[in-house]
Amino acid sequence: MTTEWKVSFLEDANRAVHLGLAETTSSLLKSLCTILPIDAALFYSVDPVDNFLILKERHNIKRPEISSIEKQNTSNIATRALSEKQVLEANLLDTRSGLIRSQSERKRGYEKVIAVPIPRKEIIIDEAHKSVCDIFDLPYLGVLCVFLGPNDESDQLVPFFNSITESFAQYYVAAVQREKQRLRKAVVDRTLRVKDLNSFMNKALRVIDDSLHIEGASIFLWDKAQKILRLHATTGIRDSPLMEDVSYTEDEKRITVQVACTGKASITTNILRDHPDTGKYGETVKHQRQSFAAFPILNWGIMEEPINARPLGVVRLVNKCTAIENSETVVSFTWEDLVLLSFFAELVGIVSNYMRRAEQERETFEQVIHGLKSSIDAVAGNLDLFVNHPEFITITDSRFWYRLPDTLAHINDIRWQVRRTLAWYRIHSGPNGGLTNGVNGSVKLTGEVLTKLQVLANQMAVPLNAGSPRIIFSPSYDSFKNLPPIFGNVNDVQNVFRNLIENALKYSKPDESECKIVLNYRINQKFLEVRVTDYGIGIPKGLEDWIFVDGFRCDNAKRRRPGGGSGIGLPYSKDRMQAMNGDLYYERSSDATVFVVKFQRIQ
Amino acid sequence: MIYFIDEDTSQTSHLRLELELSGNAVKHYKDADTAYEAICELFPNDFLIVDVMLAANPDETKSIYGRAESDDYKTTGLLLLEKLFMKFPNFPKSRVLLISQASILRIIERIQSFCKVYGVVFKGKDEFESNADFGSTVQRMLDNDKEGK
């Protein structure tokens, strides 16, 4: 009989091991209750710090029937089985299990309880780095407890359980490994589109909250000089200080700093008991602070073994909550929780290393550009003085004076290109799609933007060496006078039209002395669409969507004079229009290039 | 008096000249330490223009601004303002213009957070189309403040 039971159980376990941790455990308990003459089952996992038992899964027992989720003393059969390192059997007519309420034991007619400690033996739980491995040096993974009523086969149960403990352990550990894969996928799915390190860490912390029911978590990283441990992400800090004010210095005697210096994890079941002086910058949690774990974020970006280098920072977690029927009981971290959390810290560490280096390179770029911007602005500013205050200069040769406006046009064009590159760079380095050049509100399109296009086009034609631009309002300029206000901000709208005019000039046909740009519009209740049409070299078929991809330039564009172009103008303009609840798109036409600028009307 | 505190003389000399041509008295300081020592009094009708990424005394031992607290001297201007606000607690925050051409998001967020706390106006240097644009922006701030806006 024992053999038959074992075969059936192993078949069920094989099927269940591909599920997540909770589902696998539930399936194993359900299988036991189906195959064996038992009525109900509980599985407790072990907290490796204090050897408490925490209820992880149950079958056929309701939450209100359970006496407590966490077992801290030996007044129950499960903890006794663990401490005595053997299967224990108890007659419930003489004693109580200490696991479920005695009323429930009587009501359900349970006669016996069997507690089976699940040994770890040679199973490798985790190949985590040494700093965390010590806590996984457990002799037992958990305790399985089963309840049964009057039964003739009960004397065969203990030999059966003795024969399956190793298999149970293996399947359970396999389910934990599977859970790690799920956690990794959840982190990747949630953070795939982030553009900066802090956004990645904030979103990753939300995954921990959702998957592992952690009440409070924070991530701190050392600053460049490695003297200040700064907060980079958090689920919330008490009293809501400004993020940049939350930091520790390296000489502060705090667990967070200690972990971030030594690379050794710190775990406790009761933070207030073990570290009473934990008042500074605690996480906002609903319950009293109890279970606490801090894992180092190792520096994977260097040649030597990460464990020997000073960590990048620390992940700090407060209050693990049990997931039993959405209960809000705070419990200790079990060994599975610590495996998953240390894996999470490793994941954060690897990604942080790479993102940090990318951010440093961006900052280097910013430093380079900063100097360039300064020089360009200095030249432009000084030329501006000469143009606006001619009383400053005495020019003996009028040829110099007539060259000034052209020079200024060239300088302004460089400024515009540099600014746009930086604005595009900001879009790609920030979580909010970058910064607009102003606050969105009501814009009078004709008066504030369209009437200035001719002057703008005249200035832009100089550095672009294009034919004389002519902006034509179709059917007439008067028809544009009463356009309704649109939603947006003037600077961004001006920049979008500037980009389209620039492209029209840049890609005009070389043999034409005049560059015609026609504006017309279409209007409905919600939107105003302005069409900008030019008759230049056009966009090759099939590349209509590509022109809005960063850095892309069509071949015919690359061969145009003057050379150069970043390929960021249209993507940037499209981004800006979408940020103003509008859009920018290309409309195919047989002999012209048509761009549609779509604005949301102010209702 | 308009106090213009920015290390980049070549970039700002024309802006200062623009302010002077509009009839303002302008004093220029090139680093945060010099500015803090030199500004002995701030009257309610004075005006401060402060660059965020401001230099400090090149001799680190003589500077009151640390490398770590100023984020490697990327936010020295903010620290200078904090110290001036403490030194002159009655100076109206509406008489301050913070300028910068930083584009690192982290720095811009820090600036925005500072402005939110202190109620100070911030403008990116590249928001100004020309010297005249800069001059008229400052003049508007001076006039608005006069009218109690």
Side-chain angles (χ1 to χ4, degrees):
Chain A
M1 182 61 89
T2 313
T3 313
E4 279 172 29
W5 285 344
K6 189 171 175 178
V7 166
S8 299
F9 172 71
L10 292 178
E11 275 172 7
D12 286 345
N14 264 326
R15 276 192 291 270
V17 79
H18 302 292
L19 305 170
L21 180 57
E23 296 89 339
T24 301
T25 319
S26 177
S27 297
L28 293 176
L29 298 188
K30 188 178 170 188
S31 168
L32 290 171
C33 289
T34 309
I35 298 162
L36 306 174
I38 60 177
D39 293 331
L42 299 170
F43 179 73
Y44 290 85
S45 181
V46 178
D47 142 41
V49 177
D50 287 327
N51 269 332
F52 296 159
L53 289 179
I54 291 97
L55 181 66
K56 278 295 190 183
E57 203 52 63
R58 63 204 158 82
H59 183 76
N60 211 19
I61 295 182
K62 292 195 177 60
R63 171 68 184 95
E65 295 177 293
I66 295 166
S67 54
S68 63
I69 301 283
E70 187 166 288
K71 302 292 178 199
Q72 295 186 2
N73 53 41
T74 53
S75 62
N76 64 84
I77 190 170
T79 314
R80 286 202 308 275
L82 197 68
S83 60
E84 290 176 34
K85 298 181 175 53
Q86 60 174 343
V87 176
L88 290 184
E89 204 176 335
N91 189 333
L92 290 171
L93 299 172
D94 302 327
T95 182
R96 296 285 163 254
S97 65
L99 303 176
I100 60 176
R101 297 186 197 287
S102 41
Q103 288 167 277
S104 299
E105 284 174 359
R106 280 196 299 271
K107 194 172 157 187
R108 283 173 171 261
Y110 293 150
E111 274 195 7
K112 222 180 238 181
V113 61
I114 302 173
V116 184
I118 306 293
R120 181 187 157 194
K121 284 200 178 155
E122 297 302 315
I123 300 168
I124 296 169
I125 293 178
D126 203 297
E127 289 174 11
H129 47 82
K130 193 75 177 71
S131 76
V132 205
C133 262
D134 294 345
I135 59 170
F136 300 139
D137 197 16
L138 309 156
Y140 287 93
L141 301 179
V143 181
L144 173 65
C145 298
V146 299
F147 293 84
L148 48 155
N151 205 296
D152 291 331
E153 291 166 312
S154 60
D155 57 341
Q156 296 182 61
L157 287 173
V158 171
F160 164 76
F161 282 122
N162 275 324
S163 74
I164 61 139
T165 50
E166 204 169 306
S167 306
F168 190 100
Q170 280 175 344
Y171 284 116
Y172 192 72
V173 169
V176 171
Q177 304 294 22
R178 175 89 183 129
E179 194 66 20
K180 276 165 71 173
Q181 291 173 17
R182 280 177 126 191
L183 179 62
R184 182 179 57 203
K185 184 175 187 311
V187 170
V188 168
D189 285 348
R190 193 80 74 100
T191 62
L192 201 55
R193 281 174 206 79
V194 299
K195 292 171 182 163
D196 68 287
L197 182 56
N198 284 4
S199 301
F200 162 75
M201 291 193 290
N202 273 307
K203 285 188 186 282
L205 286 184
R206 303 292 163 204
V207 171
I208 280 294
D209 183 11
D210 295 343
S211 311
L212 294 176
H213 311 284
I214 306 292
E215 272 206 311
S218 302
I219 299 179
F220 291 79
L221 298 180
W222 288 110
D223 69 350
K224 248 193 210 164
Q226 298 245 310
K227 298 220 182 289
I228 298 179
L229 194 61
R230 290 191 190 279
L231 178 68
H232 279 254
T234 185
T235 53
I237 297 284
R238 275 201 316 257
D239 305 323
S240 307
L242 284 176
M243 193 119 143
E244 50 263 23
D245 290 339
V246 179
S247 63
Y248 301 100
T249 55
E250 63 172 350
D251 52 5
E252 282 189 61
K253 302 265 179 281
R254 306 227 173 239
I255 317 165
T256 308
V257 179
Q258 208 179 334
V259 172
C261 284
T262 61
K264 286 189 79 64
S266 174
I267 298 141
T268 172
T269 51
N270 192 329
I271 181 75
L272 292 177
R273 175 197 69 198
D274 296 339
H275 302 278
D277 179 28
T278 53
K280 194 178 176 189
Y281 302 138
E283 281 76 10
T284 311
V285 289
K286 273 195 279 194
H287 304 93
Q288 189 172 309
R289 298 176 74 222
Q290 281 182 261
S291 42
F292 174 94
F295 289 94
I297 297 175
L298 297 186
N299 188 347
W300 294 90
I302 52 166
M303 295 300 287
E304 57 195 275
E305 275 293 310
I307 188 60
N308 294 328
R310 193 193 222 192
L312 272 191
V314 58
V315 178
R316 194 171 78 180
L317 309 124
V318 179
N319 281 4
K320 158 79 185 173
C321 291
T322 182
I324 303 273
E325 273 180 17
N326 300 317
S327 169
E328 291 215 332
T329 315
V330 175
V331 294
S332 308
F333 292 108
T334 58
W335 63 268
E336 309 93 302
D337 296 327
L338 297 174
V339 165
L340 294 169
L341 291 171
S342 82
F343 175 69
F344 172 79
E346 201 174 305
L347 206 58
V348 167
I350 292 169
V351 176
S352 299
N353 270 280
Y354 287 109
M355 289 192 86
R356 225 183 191 193
R357 272 189 277 168
E359 284 193 348
Q360 278 163 12
E361 274 172 40
R362 272 200 218 120
E363 291 199 13
T364 306
F365 168 76
E366 152 68 20
Q367 279 167 12
V368 168
I369 279 292
H370 203 90
L372 176 61
K373 270 194 289 178
S374 293
S375 301
I376 292 171
D377 273 338
V379 171
N382 285 307
L383 283 174
D384 204 30
L385 275 176
F386 294 143
V387 172
N388 289 328
H389 298 281
E391 67 272 19
F392 286 165
I393 50 177
T394 306
I395 297 174
T396 56
D397 190 329
S398 60
R399 285 175 299 178
F400 178 74
W401 177 251
Y402 290 125
R403 286 169 69 85
L404 260 182
D406 276 8
T407 307
L408 202 56
H410 278 285
I411 297 290
N412 277 330
D413 186 62
I414 297 172
R415 282 169 97 185
W416 150 250
Q417 300 290 348
V418 169
R419 280 191 208 174
R420 190 173 57 179
T421 305
L422 283 164
W424 168 85
Y425 161 78
R426 266 187 250 166
I427 285 171
H428 287 269
S429 44
N432 301 318
L435 305 163
T436 66
N437 282 323
V439 175
N440 284 339
S442 173
V443 175
K444 296 189 190 84
L445 192 58
T446 306
E448 292 182 287
V449 180
L450 300 182
T451 47
K452 300 177 184 181
L453 289 182
Q454 184 64 63
V455 171
L456 185 66
N458 292 343
Q459 283 177 346
M460 292 172 75
V462 171
L464 291 172
N465 208 13
S468 302
R470 188 156 73 99
I471 308 282
I472 300 167
F473 292 86
S474 174
S476 66
Y477 177 72
D478 282 348
S479 64
F480 279 74
K481 278 187 181 163
N482 294 319
L483 287 182
I486 52 98
F487 179 73
N489 76 80
V490 168
N491 283 334
D492 280 346
V493 175
Q494 284 175 346
N495 285 335
V496 168
F497 277 97
R498 183 175 184 154
N499 175 216
L500 295 176
I501 302 294
E502 180 192 41
N503 285 345
L505 292 171
K506 209 190 269 186
Y507 304 120
S508 55
K509 286 183 180 147
D511 50 351
E512 286 180 356
S513 58
E514 184 186 73
C515 175
K516 201 167 68 171
I517 302 166
V518 178
L519 303 180
N520 58 36
Y521 67 88
R522 202 159 63 182
I523 192 166
N524 63 35
Q525 268 209 310
K526 278 186 80 176
F527 295 103
L528 165 66
E529 289 180 350
V530 176
R531 270 172 177 64
V532 181
T533 305
D534 73 78
Y535 300 90
I537 62 174
I539 291 163
K541 241 187 196 169
L543 297 179
E544 298 89 341
D545 292 328
W546 281 90
I547 55 176
F548 293 106
V549 173
D550 286 325
F552 177 80
R553 295 187 74 218
C554 303
D555 274 346
N556 60 344
K558 287 180 198 162
R559 289 193 290 271
R560 290 294 292 122
R561 51 84 185 119
S566 54
I568 62 169
L570 285 175
Y572 172 71
S573 295
K574 192 174 176 77
D575 268 336
R576 296 296 87 212
M577 285 310 305
Q578 287 176 343
M580 295 187 282
N581 297 346
D583 202 358
L584 169 67
Y585 55 90
Y586 171 74
E587 207 173 68
R588 180 153 281 287
S589 166
S590 52
D591 62 343
T593 304
V594 182
F595 282 95
V596 181
V597 193
K598 186 174 174 179
F599 296 97
Q600 183 185 17
R601 286 177 62 178
I602 301 270
Q603 296 301 327
Chain B
M1 179 68 67
I2 295 180
Y3 293 98
F4 202 134
I5 308 159
D6 189 325
E7 71 203 42
D8 201 330
T9 322
S10 62
Q11 196 189 25
T12 59
S13 60
H14 46 85
L15 299 177
R16 286 181 277 121
L17 181 57
E18 186 67 36
L19 295 173
E20 283 170 1
L21 291 170
S22 302
N24 297 294
V26 182
K27 256 194 185 144
H28 174 233
Y29 298 110
K30 285 197 273 191
D31 70 76
D33 286 292
T34 309
Y36 186 72
E37 270 178 45
I39 300 176
C40 301
E41 48 196 354
L42 266 182
F43 295 106
N45 60 354
D46 286 336
F47 194 86
L48 291 172
I49 301 173
V50 179
D51 182 31
V52 174
M53 291 170 75
L54 183 60
N57 190 323
D59 185 347
E60 278 192 45
T61 59
K62 295 192 177 141
S63 174
I64 58 175
Y65 303 98
R67 191 172 280 277
E69 57 166 343
S70 65
D71 195 349
D72 206 18
Y73 303 111
K74 289 193 182 73
T75 55
T76 323
L78 304 185
L79 298 178
L80 167 65
L81 275 179
E82 275 178 346
K83 290 189 190 307
L84 286 173
F85 291 156
M86 277 175 44
K87 199 173 170 183
F88 307 104
N90 296 326
F91 183 72
K93 313 294 186 286
S94 56
R95 306 285 289 183
V96 177
L97 174 63
L98 255 180
I99 56 174
S100 181
Q101 60 182 17
S103 51
I104 303 170
L105 188 67
R106 180 170 58 75
I107 304 297
I108 294 175
E109 282 174 349
R110 205 176 161 89
I111 296 169
Q112 287 173 336
S113 167
F114 180 92
C115 291
K116 209 172 165 182
V117 168
Y118 290 102
V120 160
V121 171
F122 165 67
K123 295 260 179 206
K125 281 184 187 174
D126 52 9
E127 283 182 58
F128 302 110
E129 288 287 341
S130 62
N131 304 335
D133 188 14
F134 175 82
S136 54
T137 300
V138 173
Q139 198 57 50
R140 260 199 310 276
M141 288 180 71
L142 291 167
D143 293 342
N144 282 348
D145 203 57
K146 251 189 240 167
E147 291 166 26
K149 286 183 194 158

